[in-house]
Amino acid sequence: MKKKYRIKKNEDFQKIFQKGKSTANRQFIIYRLENGRDHFRIGLSVSKKIGNAVVRNRIKRYVRQAFHELEQEIRPSYDLIIIARKSAKDMSYQEVKKSLIHVLKISKIFINKEKSRKCSGKG
């Protein structure tokens, strides 16, 4: 993932936790805060309670790949922090992606282009 899409600094994480809004499902919690940029940025948090380094890194890799694939369908100008819950550790990549889409739709950050194409095609 390109540097401009990452959130690394603790002060950025704290700002988003304090001022942002959160949305969750059973596998992920997403904190979001508008950033005024022309692209989104993501920060990942996977606790040691979830598993060893191999498990945690696999979850982070899956989340990064899902965001890479969904890049065009995510509203720009948001900073996002994704926190993985324990139930995410046994998920396949496709399940992780589906769960992320679900929580992004709940938080109104996901733009479903398929739906908008179908709607505009019928009118």
Side-chain angles (χ1 to χ4, degrees), residues 18-80:
Q18 290 165 6
K19 296 182 180 180
K21 292 186 166 79
S22 68
T23 311
N25 63 10
R26 292 184 181 190
Q27 294 83 21
F28 297 99
I29 304 168
I30 292 185
Y31 284 84
R32 66 192 184 282
L33 182 66
E34 285 202 48
N35 65 14
R37 299 171 194 248
D38 62 343
H39 57 85
F40 66 87
R41 298 188 311 162
I42 66 169
L44 300 173
S45 176
V46 184
S47 170
K48 285 185 177 180
K49 292 178 185 177
I50 290 178
N52 63 18
V54 174
V55 173
R56 295 192 312 270
N57 288 334
R58 179 172 26 89
I59 293 169
K60 289 189 277 189
R61 209 170 42 246
Y62 286 173
V63 171
R64 278 191 217 105
Q65 181 61 33
F67 270 90
H68 179 70
E69 288 181 12
L70 299 170
E71 192 174 329
Q72 300 301 315
E73 300 175 57
I74 296 172
R75 291 187 191 279
S77 75
Y78 275 98
D79 282 346
L80 307 170

Side-chain angles (χ1 to χ4, degrees), residues 83-98:
I83 301 170
R85 289 184 162 171
K86 207 165 194 165
S87 57
K89 79 175 185 178
D90 298 320
M91 296 172 74
S92 69
Y93 169 70
Q94 292 301 323
E95 292 170 325
V96 167
K97 185 176 175 183
K98 187 176 177 183

